Amino acid sequence: MKTKYIYACLFLLVCALSSAFRLADDPFETLLKKLTDYNEENPQEKVHLHLDKPYYAIGDNIWFKAYVTDNSTNQLSKISNILYVDLINENDSVKRQLKLPLESGLSWGDFKLTDTLPEGNYRIRAYTQWMRNAGPDFFYDKTIKIGNAWSNKVLTSTKYTYSKTGNEDHVNAVITFTDKKGQPYAEASVNYIVQLKDKTVERGKAVTNAQGAVTISFNSKLSDSFVSGKITATLTLPGKEKIVKTIPVKAVSDAVSVQLFPESGNLVEDLPSRVGIKAVNSSGLGENVSGVIADNDGAEVLTFKTTHLGMGSFVLNPQPGKTYTAKIKLKDGTVQNVPLPKALTTGYVMTVNNTDSNKVNVKLLISEPLLNKGEMKLVIQHNNAVSTVLKVATIKQVSMLALNKKDLPSGILHFTLFTPDNIPVGERLIFINNSADQMDAELLNLKKTYGIRENVPLEISAKDEGKPTIGSFSVAVTNASIIAPDADNESNIFTSLLLSSDLKGYIEKPNQYFRDNSKQTRENLDQLMLTQGWSRLLWKDVMGNTLTKPVFSAEKSLKVSGTVTTPGGKPIPNGKVTIFSNAGGIFMLDTLTDAKGHFNFDNLTFGDSTKFVVQARNAKDKKFVEISIDRVPGQIVTKNKNTGDIEVNVNEAIQSYIIKSENYFDDLTKRGLLERSHTLDQVNIVQQKIQAKNSANLNGAGRADAIIRAADLSYCTTLSQCLQGRVAGLVIRDGKAFLIRNNNIPMNIVLDGTSVGVDFLDNIQSTDVETIEVLKSGSNTAIYGSQGAGGVLIITTKRGGDTGYTRYAPGVVTTTPAGYYAVRQFYSPKYDNPQTIRAADKRTTVYWNPHLTTTTTGTAKFNFYNTDESGTYRVVIEGINAEGHPARKVYTYEVK
């Protein structure tokens, strides 16, 4: 992008200068070039997921569409071709992970919420390997509520009260246990453990009262009142069945945290400065407060109050020699004293007014001793790229700049003020919502009212700058009378790609900033920019040459790679490596190692749980080599930053929906369309048949006609020798195993679950084998079909947990890399004849289409049928075109 230069001239006039002004030896130009080069070499990516519903129930499917954009261009990303999507539970554990192929930055998938999952606050997290270089603060990370009435015997409701004694926070938790009909579990035994910051602070036993309630009290001796944790309560039902419930502890007190943010970073004596204030309660939500600013003599200077979700601001003109304290009055009547940063004796102050609908006004103030020292530079960045540089002469104490919003891109702009000595002294974030950067997507042919099971034919019309445009859209239709939307708290394509993906920390009710462009909304959004956590770039890293180099490479395809070495660890160049698998047919590829012994099979496409066998030889075709498969370490799960979205009583919060969903899931179960998991009663086994540990035998581990164990293989050098004469009817010829009665058909060999053919026997070191299961009879070989015609040898190698092995036999490795998830198709029934009697249709997601593409005319048609449930139906359309311009529209209609 070509850099613009604008001078702030005398008498507050602004005039443009040519970019030819650059001087090759200008340190500031060198600094900008360093930043530009880094950003071009290390572009960023952003991810948004369009979810079909705002919350779910166990038994549901979570359907989603992924949009991945290139941060430098805002267009659909061409950096990564693989996306990871995680479902994370309240214990910060990944319960499901999907690996999805990205086609031009687009993908889609689903999570099936089986009844083995408990209700709770789950997180949907999405990222690419390349995004891991920027860190998890910039991943897509949304907290959703998942309730459970369908497979749930026990519901809980928890109320917390707080008190304080000295430095200890005291918590009383009253937990009520009931069944689905609201009947209490009275006189039931409860065991509980309380953990804060993963440390146990209390444990004990209790018995529920007549209302099914127990009171659990605990103290927090931690110095921080803003800690969280969980209560794990185990309820014993009649019949001694134990039900475990995990209940979030969002806070240990009702404390309020207050932070003060001088607008450009510092207060300066005799220069009026705007100061942002943000008050957050212990639950992570903004809480409005009021107070006064007093100086060090106790004199009140001004009063203030927050106006929006605990955020506000005031203007202070620090006087020489004075210090200031904010005396904040809380709702319980107490006063909290928060000192303001000490003012500098001289310096610079930058104030930005972004509440005007047409322009951004910037005021630069300079202390008198710093006048006539050269030029200040105001650097404006968007998506980590320098878009504008404004140069301002230091001949006046006050300089004014005005920027036309029509010329500014949508999203977060990063303003940095540099001194004439090229030192950054002030930073400020602002947000621009430019309609020119958005598509206009209209839904055509929508009527106000429809009947149940009526066909709804619709058409999307997409335009960009008034012209038809090609774009990819996702469409979700839900029954809003059952699933009530929280419009302000929705995450959508605008909140994700333009706002939260460039900010650290939790943003409360993000969609409220995009529902209109009123003056009040702009003021609220500017309060957020003034007080929210900082964005991606730190100038000190640029100036100190400490910018982080990428650790994770952008994934272009699935691959299996590794290194071949001698047993002593020396790399083997020009070694022959073969990879093969029998998933979906016989598959085999060959390659050679490079000078460092490294090999790479890339551009692969395979599904999840696909097993491969990798075989290596040195240049002289010797097999005594070691193979190490490359492993990319998994992404750690950080603590949930969306504390304000955590719901203590999930089932209560979405009670109407989970009750409705229970009837729907019960109906599906009766019709055989949905399966429940059944917990078997405990059985004490007094004698157990010895199994083949870790076996992949399709009949079940140990179900074989004969089993040869590691102890039986210690006196032979090859498996051929080990098997010869040991099993009745089994002979070895030319390194292959045969059963005499099977007409010279060799036995198939299955190594650690992968069929490796019939001539692989002596490629396996006998000392690395745990068991060999011999399948001879038809009852044992039938499950293998034609591959079992000659019999099967199930060979299981030793694992690290047994003897310290870290890899399999020399020259052979089996590996199961994560493959692509097989995406399921959303089922949308057709009711061509509404009079036909069919099973009741109580779906809450009425229609889901993750990839609806408009043609060159900018249109795309689709249709669906309403369910049997009346109410207000909600149609949500999201999409993006090749220029990176997003669109989102919400429509409703009635079904009677």
Side-chain angles (χ1 to χ4, degrees):
M1 182 179 294
K2 188 175 181 180
T3 306
K4 301 176 184 176
Y5 290 87
I6 305 176
Y7 266 96
C9 300
L10 197 57
F11 306 114
L12 312 182
L13 296 178
V14 180
C15 57
L17 288 183
S18 167
S19 58
F21 179 84
R22 292 188 179 188
L23 299 175
D25 57 350
D26 186 346
F28 184 70
E29 298 299 332
T30 302
L31 181 66
L32 288 183
K33 186 177 186 308
K34 186 187 302 183
L35 175 63
T36 300
D37 290 346
Y38 177 82
N39 288 332
E40 287 179 353
E41 293 173 4
N42 303 282
Q44 303 292 336
E45 289 180 307
K46 302 178 181 180
V47 177
H48 165 64
L49 297 189
H50 178 193
L51 306 180
D52 66 309
K53 288 197 284 261
Y55 46 80
Y56 298 86
I58 297 300
D60 264 333
N61 264 56
I62 300 176
W63 303 95
F64 62 84
K65 166 74 170 286
Y67 298 87
V68 183
T69 61
D70 181 340
N71 203 20
S72 61
T73 64
N74 273 348
Q75 296 177 1
L76 289 168
S77 180
K78 297 180 181 178
I79 300 173
S80 298
N81 291 340
I82 297 176
L83 178 72
Y84 297 82
V85 185
D86 298 335
L87 180 66
I88 302 170
N89 68 6
E90 290 180 327
N91 296 325
D92 298 321
S93 174
V94 177
K95 302 307 295 181
R96 307 274 193 276
Q97 183 179 79
L98 306 184
K99 193 172 185 179
L100 301 170
L102 283 169
E103 185 67 35
S104 300
L106 302 173
S107 192
W108 49 89
D110 68 282
F111 288 107
K112 178 65 179 175
L113 301 179
T114 62
D115 61 354
T116 56
L117 296 172
E119 73 274 12
N121 298 276
Y122 286 76
R123 294 157 59 190
I124 304 287
R125 182 178 72 171
Y127 59 93
T128 65
Q129 289 290 347
W130 183 250
M131 288 179 67
R132 294 177 67 181
N133 295 306
D137 283 320
F138 305 107
F139 294 176
Y140 176 90
D141 198 330
K142 180 173 176 59
T143 298
I144 58 172
K145 295 183 283 288
I146 299 178
N148 186 7
W150 173 53
S151 61
N152 206 353
K153 291 183 178 180
V154 178
L155 303 183
T156 62
S157 175
T158 306
K159 308 294 182 188
Y160 290 103
T161 56
Y162 309 101
S163 59
K164 196 175 187 71
T165 303
N167 292 326
E168 286 191 7
D169 292 308
H170 183 73
V171 183
N172 258 18
V174 179
I175 307 174
T176 303
F177 300 87
T178 64
D179 63 16
K180 290 186 287 188
K181 296 180 179 179
Q183 297 301 309
Y185 285 103
E187 303 300 322
S189 175
V190 178
N191 289 7
Y192 61 86
I193 298 174
V194 182
Q195 293 176 298
L196 300 176
K197 284 191 171 181
D198 298 324
K199 294 183 178 180
T200 299
V201 298
E202 191 70 44
R203 65 171 67 233
K205 297 180 180 180
V207 176
T208 60
N209 60 19
Q211 290 73 43
V214 296
T215 299
I216 298 175
S217 299
F218 57 93
N219 296 328
S220 172
K221 298 181 181 180
L222 301 172
S223 58
D224 185 5
S225 293
F226 294 85
V227 298
S228 60
K230 63 183 178 181
I231 300 174
T232 304
T234 303
L235 180 74
T236 303
L237 299 181
K240 297 186 179 181
E241 181 181 1
K242 297 182 183 298
I243 303 294
V244 179
K245 293 291 179 179
T246 301
I247 301 156
V249 178
K250 292 186 67 173
V252 296
S253 76
D254 52 8
V256 175
S257 172
V258 179
Q259 293 178 286
L260 301 171
F261 302 89
E263 181 169 16
S264 58
N266 296 303
L267 296 174
V268 180
E269 291 179 355
D270 285 326
L271 297 183
S273 179
R274 188 179 175 200
V275 179
I277 179 171
K278 186 169 188 175
V280 178
N281 64 26
S282 55
S283 295
L285 298 173
E287 184 165 311
N288 284 328
V289 298
S290 60
V292 299
I293 301 297
D295 64 18
N296 52 314
D297 295 325
E300 293 187 1
V301 177
L302 57 88
T303 62
F304 66 87
K305 65 178 180 179
T306 59
T307 57
H308 174 66
L309 299 179
M311 294 179 288
S313 63
F314 55 86
V315 176
L316 177 67
N317 189 355
Q319 296 303 300
K322 295 285 187 180
T323 58
Y324 299 89
T325 300
K327 297 181 178 295
I328 298 153
K329 185 177 180 180
L330 305 178
K331 63 181 180 181
D332 62 359
T334 60
V335 174
Q336 184 178 142
N337 294 326
V338 180
L340 274 74
K342 182 175 174 57
L344 303 176
T345 54
T346 61
Y348 304 79
V349 168
M350 173 174 56
T351 297
V352 180
N353 185 341
N354 191 33
T355 59
D356 190 283
S357 60
N358 297 314
K359 59 184 178 180
V360 179
N361 294 304
V362 183
K363 182 189 294 185
L364 304 179
L365 298 91
I366 315 170
S367 296
E368 189 171 357
L370 300 177
L371 292 174
N372 301 310
K373 300 293 185 180
E375 293 177 327
M376 297 179 293
K377 297 96 173 174
L378 181 60
V379 178
I380 302 176
Q381 294 181 80
H382 177 252
N383 285 340
N384 274 28
V386 176
S387 61
T388 304
V389 175
L390 309 176
K391 293 194 173 182
V392 183
T394 57
I395 36 182
K396 286 287 184 180
Q397 276 198 274
V398 180
S399 298
M400 299 286 289
L401 305 172
L403 306 175
N404 193 330
K405 286 189 174 181
K406 292 182 179 179
D407 299 329
L408 299 176
S410 291
I412 292 176
L413 299 186
H414 191 146
F415 285 51
T416 306
L417 179 65
F418 283 82
T419 68
D421 295 327
N422 301 325
I423 305 298
V425 289
E427 293 190 298
R428 173 75 148 88
L429 303 182
I430 71 166
F431 188 88
I432 297 296
N433 194 351
N434 194 335
S435 59
D437 295 330
Q438 300 175 15
M439 274 193 297
D440 184 27
E442 298 292 336
L443 194 57
L444 307 180
N445 309 322
L446 182 67
K447 299 189 299 184
K448 292 183 178 180
T449 305
Y450 294 85
I452 62 172
R453 299 200 179 189
E454 183 176 348
N455 185 26
V456 183
L458 298 174
E459 183 175 8
I460 294 177
S461 175
K463 293 183 178 180
D464 197 354
E465 296 183 346
K467 299 178 181 179
T469 183
I470 298 174
S472 175
F473 294 84
S474 47
V475 180
V477 183
T478 56
N479 188 337
S481 298
I482 300 175
I483 307 174
D486 184 357
D488 282 347
N489 201 37
E490 287 181 319
S491 293
N492 57 57
I493 198 165
F494 292 126
T495 65
S496 294
L497 298 183
L498 299 181
L499 185 64
S500 60
S501 59
D502 281 322
L503 288 179
K504 294 181 179 180
Y506 169 65
I507 301 174
E508 185 177 350
K509 299 184 182 302
N511 193 41
Q512 64 179 306
Y513 304 114
F514 295 88
R515 298 186 69 186
D516 60 50
N517 193 29
S518 66
K519 187 174 187 296
Q520 185 62 57
T521 298
R522 293 195 299 272
E523 289 177 355
N524 293 343
L525 183 52
D526 204 48
Q527 301 281 16
L528 177 71
M529 294 293 101
L530 188 63
T531 59
Q532 186 66 24
W534 213 242
S535 60
R536 298 172 183 261
L537 177 74
L538 292 176
W539 276 103
K540 64 181 180 65
D541 293 331
V542 183
M543 302 178 72
N545 294 316
T546 57
L547 286 167
T548 304
K549 297 298 182 183
V551 175
F552 300 97
S553 301
E555 286 185 297
K556 297 298 184 180
S557 66
L558 296 180
K559 67 177 182 178
V560 176
S561 62
T563 304
V564 181
T565 64
T566 65
K570 183 179 179 180
I572 295 177
N574 299 316
K576 182 181 178 181
V577 184
T578 304
I579 185 173
F580 51 96
S581 172
N582 65 342
I586 301 299
F587 163 86
M588 185 173 69
L589 288 174
D590 290 328
T591 191
L592 296 177
T593 58
D594 61 17
K596 296 181 180 180
H598 193 261
F599 65 89
N600 184 24
F601 296 100
D602 58 4
N603 296 317
L604 303 179
T605 300
F606 53 87
D608 208 11
S609 301
T610 301
K611 292 187 177 181
F612 294 94
V613 174
V614 180
Q615 181 187 61
R617 298 286 185 270
N618 63 20
K620 297 181 180 180
D621 203 33
K622 301 296 183 181
K623 64 183 179 182
F624 291 99
V625 299
E626 300 286 355
I627 306 172
S628 296
I629 299 296
D630 292 337
R631 305 288 184 190
V632 178
Q635 174 62 41
I636 63 171
V637 180
T638 54
K639 290 294 182 182
N640 190 351
K641 68 177 181 179
N642 304 314
T643 51
D645 290 335
I646 295 174
E647 178 61 55
V648 173
N649 301 305
V650 168
N651 286 327
E652 275 189 11
I654 56 175
Q655 184 177 22
S656 174
Y657 172 63
I658 65 171
I659 291 174
K660 287 267 191 181
S661 68
E662 180 187 15
N663 297 330
Y664 172 52
F665 298 142
D666 281 341
D667 180 64
L668 292 181
T669 304
K670 292 175 184 177
R671 291 156 52 195
L673 301 176
L674 191 62
E675 294 183 356
R676 267 184 168 157
S677 300
H678 298 280
T679 302
L680 301 177
D681 294 334
Q682 180 174 319
V683 178
N684 295 321
I685 301 174
V686 295
Q687 187 173 5
Q688 184 178 3
K689 180 181 177 181
I690 298 175
Q691 301 292 317
K693 188 176 181 181
N694 298 320
S695 168
N697 190 341
L698 297 181
N699 298 293
R703 294 193 60 179
D705 298 290
I707 300 178
I708 302 173
R709 305 189 185 284
D712 303 321
L713 304 174
S714 57
Y715 300 104
C716 49
T717 57
T718 67
L719 286 188
S720 295
Q721 294 173 346
C722 297
L723 289 173
Q724 185 70 52
R726 190 177 292 273
V727 179
L730 189 152
V731 296
I732 302 295
R733 295 200 299 268
D734 298 326
K736 300 176 185 178
F738 294 84
L739 294 174
I740 296 174
R741 66 185 184 188
N742 281 346
N743 300 321
N744 290 325
I745 300 176
M747 300 182 74
N748 189 25
I749 298 173
V750 177
L751 176 67
D752 289 334
T754 299
S755 177
V756 293
V758 299
D759 56 355
F760 202 76
L761 194 60
D762 287 337
N763 291 329
I764 306 168
Q765 285 288 100
S766 60
T767 54
D768 292 322
V769 174
E770 180 67 30
T771 58
I772 301 174
E773 296 165 85
V774 182
L775 309 186
K776 300 192 298 180
S777 62
S779 59
N780 283 331
T781 61
I783 196 170
Y784 287 90
S786 60
Q787 292 188 353
V792 184
L793 295 176
I794 308 294
I795 300 176
T796 304
T797 57
K798 294 176 180 176
R799 306 298 170 93
D802 296 329
T803 56
Y805 279 66
T806 57
R807 54 177 63 89
Y808 300 119
V812 179
V813 167
T814 61
T815 182
T816 310
Y820 290 138
Y821 171 69
V823 178
R824 286 179 289 183
Q825 186 75 27
F826 178 82
Y827 173 65
S828 184
K830 295 182 179 181
Y831 301 125
D832 299 324
N833 183 0
Q835 303 304 317
T836 302
I837 299 176
R838 299 192 184 186
D841 186 350
K842 299 180 180 180
R843 290 172 299 123
T844 52
T845 297
V846 181
Y847 179 73
W848 168 254
N849 191 331
H851 190 46
L852 197 62
T853 305
T854 54
T855 64
T856 53
T857 63
T859 60
K861 295 181 179 181
F862 64 100
N863 77 292
F864 56 91
Y865 290 82
N866 295 323
T867 70
D868 290 335
E869 298 287 329
S870 60
T872 300
Y873 283 32
R874 189 170 187 250
V875 184
V876 179
I877 302 169
E878 293 191 356
I880 197 168
N881 64 6
E883 287 70 35
H885 293 171
R888 184 177 192 265
K889 282 292 181 69
V890 178
Y891 295 86
T892 60
Y893 65 90
E894 295 295 323
V895 173
K896 298 181 178 179

